[in-house]
Amino acid sequence: LPVDICVGKVRITLKRGLTTVARGTVKLKKNCTYSAKIRIKKVRKHGKIKATSRYLGSSLVAAKNSKVVRLKV
């Protein structure tokens, strides 16, 4: 039986220091990729933001965190 394991959701979090400035959840696509446009509302000055994503898991695959990506704003 072919089983589609590319199902579930991914949570994307953007932080400046310890403060979360944006968060969003998107569905995983059939080819196991995802994309999202997230608007940052709380940033008042330019600087660096840390972006992380977390696959929230499914009945077949456990939840997993991604590596931290640093962005310039």
Side-chain angles (χ1 to χ4, degrees):
L1 295 170
V3 178
D4 187 14
I5 62 170
C6 292
V7 294
K9 293 183 179 181
V10 176
R11 180 183 306 132
I12 301 164
T13 306
L14 302 178
K15 288 187 173 188
R16 168 172 281 182
L18 298 175
T19 304
T20 299
V21 294
R23 181 182 294 165
T25 304
V26 295
K27 288 184 179 180
L28 201 58
K29 296 178 185 176
K30 295 281 184 187
N31 61 356
C32 293
T33 62
Y34 63 92
S35 63
K37 290 182 181 180
I38 299 176
R39 187 175 303 261
I40 301 171
K41 296 180 180 179
K42 298 179 184 178
V43 175
R44 294 188 178 135
K45 60 182 180 177
H46 297 289
K48 294 181 183 176
I49 290 183
K50 293 180 185 178
T52 59
S53 59
R54 176 172 176 80
Y55 174 65
L56 300 177
S58 68
S59 60
L60 298 173
V61 182
K64 178 89 172 150
N65 286 338
S66 72
K67 293 181 181 179
V68 174
V69 177
R70 288 173 176 77
L71 308 170
K72 287 186 180 181
V73 179

